[in-house]
Amino acid sequence: MDLGLKGMKAILVGANGGIGRKVAQALAAEGCHVAICGRTQDKVDKVVGELSPTGVTVYSEALDVTEPTSVPAFVEKAAGALGGCDIFISFTSANPGTDTDDCWETILRADILPMRRGIEAAMPYLEKSDAGSIICMSSTGAVEEFMGVQPYNALKAAVMNYAAGLSQKLAPQGIRANCITPGPVMTDDGPWNYIKDNMTEFYDGIMAQIPMGRMTTGEELAKTIAFVASPACKAMTGANIVVDAGFTKRVQF
């Protein structure tokens, strides 16, 4: 299937590792020009090196997404380097794991606000696109109880609502907004490798809850995101796509 991604431009915030890195690879493999950013220059450079053989244009930058002006500035420079923006996705995330004011504020600064600021900055370019697409990243922790009272879970539930609101507002302009809700995802540079080696009992408990007997791979999730973001999925907006190997037990609708 031709996803129609060749020649499109994607701006990816926080794509220097984990799921974001895999999505950058998947989009570039389809001929989509990409801009990526992340906290550390070494990790950003590594991803750029992985994308270079595809021949697409790659813009990259190391920055601190918690600084209020950093993501909007990155989007402006990225859109200038790529010649626009057709796809916007923010992957930045944080989960200190405690129900405190500091935890709520950390997640807002590192996860929610970079997404919102990036979407706002990308909007003038998405409005000019023939296939504008926004992907918001949530978590299955937002739809079922997971590890007790977690600000992360509550705020990821808010992301779903935000994406749904965007989809209704932006549909008349031809811009789609969808939400991707992953369960546990295994990537070579993600947290679950560490958990597997250092928190064995917890890891085994999670694995026992996954009917497929394995976690979703980063490559599998990236292919889903690439499809939903692409013109091949042009009629889908306002959807929440759960990708979790059966981890959640609710009826998905």
Side-chain angles (χ1 to χ4, degrees), residues 23-135:
V23 171
Q25 292 171 350
L27 292 174
E30 294 289 332
C32 181
H33 307 299
V34 296
I36 66 166
C37 69
R39 283 179 294 180
T40 60
Q41 190 67 55
D42 287 349
K43 291 180 70 176
V44 168
D45 291 344
K46 178 181 178 181
V47 179
V48 172
E50 293 169 343
L51 302 180
S52 294
T54 65
V56 303
T57 300
V58 180
Y59 176 80
S60 67
E61 193 175 333
L63 54 86
D64 179 359
V65 299
T66 66
E67 292 293 330
T69 61
S70 66
V71 171
F74 165 70
V75 170
E76 291 290 334
K77 287 182 279 186
L82 300 183
C85 176
D86 302 295
I87 297 166
F88 177 85
I89 314 174
S90 179
F91 297 96
T92 64
S93 190
N95 185 9
T98 56
D99 184 20
T100 64
D101 282 3
D102 285 345
C103 183
W104 283 85
E105 290 173 4
T106 294
I107 297 165
L108 280 168
R109 290 195 305 268
D111 189 321
I112 308 301
L113 289 176
M115 175 194 69
R116 195 212 68 78
R117 292 166 181 153
I119 291 170
E120 182 178 59
M123 198 56 61
Y125 305 100
L126 292 168
E127 289 172 345
K128 296 175 184 177
S129 171
D130 293 329
S133 178
I134 298 166
I135 300 288

